Each structure stands twice: as C-alpha cells, then as structure tokens.
Amino acid sequence: MSQSSGIPVYNFPTDAGYRLLELPPDLQSILESPEAPPPLKLETGDDSALLKAGGKAWALRQKNTSNALILMRPHGDNGLAAMSTVHEIVELDAVKEDKPEGQAAPLSAKGKWHEKFGKKR
C-alpha cells in the first residue's frame, strides 16, 4: 500500500492586516443583483462606521473570535502557504435611519453566527 505524502504547508506571513466581513443577506442580494449595484458609501457615526448602499445602512461592528481563520495561497506546484491569521470578524448590523445623520440605531442582530454558537461556550 502506498503512502500519500499529503499537501506541503508553509508559513509565509505578510504584514497586511485582514478582516473577515460578514455580509447580511439583504446587502449580498443588492451586490449580486444583475443590475449595476449601487455605490457603497462609508460614513462615520457617533458609535461606529456606517456602510450605506441602495437606500439602506449597516453599522460596522468588530467581533473577536477564538476560532482563527488561516488565509492560504498556492505555493509551488502542489503546496499551500499560510499568509495571515484572522481573529476578528466585521459584522454589518442593519440600522434605522429615522434619527439625525450619523446617529442611526442598530436593529436586532438575530441570526449572527457568534450569537447562535457563541452562547454555548
């Protein structure tokens, strides 16, 4: 029986910082629309940055996670190189826009990954 040597993995970290951005379903559908997607605008608010597109707004919230995500790229003919480890996730929480500019109130964050699975830890 022959033994497989597996896939060689190397560590070549970069100085670039990465964040995983969790897109809510409504923003994903706006961006995947067959029509030209609306421009994305990033604005500052009182408590957080706001991302605006298509008449909707989302507050950016950074969440730390104990589960690291390792970003990899191809290396050589059949290997992989680890280039960064991500410990933070940026979530987009829908906001109401009935307050004055820059003071949008977050809506419920139901359905977020960390709220579904993080409570059991």
Side-chain angles (χ1 to χ4, degrees):
M1 181 164 27
S2 68
Q3 222 175 6
S4 172
S5 60
I7 299 173
V9 177
Y10 305 93
N11 186 28
F12 294 116
T14 65
D15 291 333
Y18 296 93
R19 297 288 185 271
L20 179 65
L21 181 63
E22 183 179 338
L23 294 180
D26 52 344
L27 178 57
Q28 181 179 349
S29 65
I30 289 171
L31 296 175
E32 291 178 340
S33 170
E35 303 168 9
L40 299 176
K41 291 174 35 179
L42 192 58
E43 298 179 1
T44 58
D46 290 339
D47 298 330
S48 66
L50 297 175
L51 179 69
K52 294 185 175 186
K56 296 184 178 186
W58 299 267
L60 280 74
R61 308 251 190 255
Q62 179 171 303
K63 304 288 183 178
N64 296 329
T65 178
S66 61
N67 299 326
L69 172 69
I70 300 173
L71 298 180
M72 312 212 46
R73 63 178 170 80
H75 180 76
D77 290 336
N78 63 349
L80 293 173
M83 52 189 267
S84 185
T85 304
V86 177
H87 293 279
E88 297 85 18
I89 297 172
V90 177
E91 293 182 342
L92 299 175
D93 294 328
V95 295
K96 293 181 187 177
E97 294 251 61
D98 56 359
K99 289 189 171 189
E101 186 69 28
Q103 296 180 359
L107 296 174
S108 171
K110 289 182 181 176
K112 299 295 183 185
W113 182 91
H114 75 279
E115 292 179 355
K116 287 181 180 177
F117 301 102
K119 289 180 181 179
K120 297 178 183 176
R121 294 187 198 169

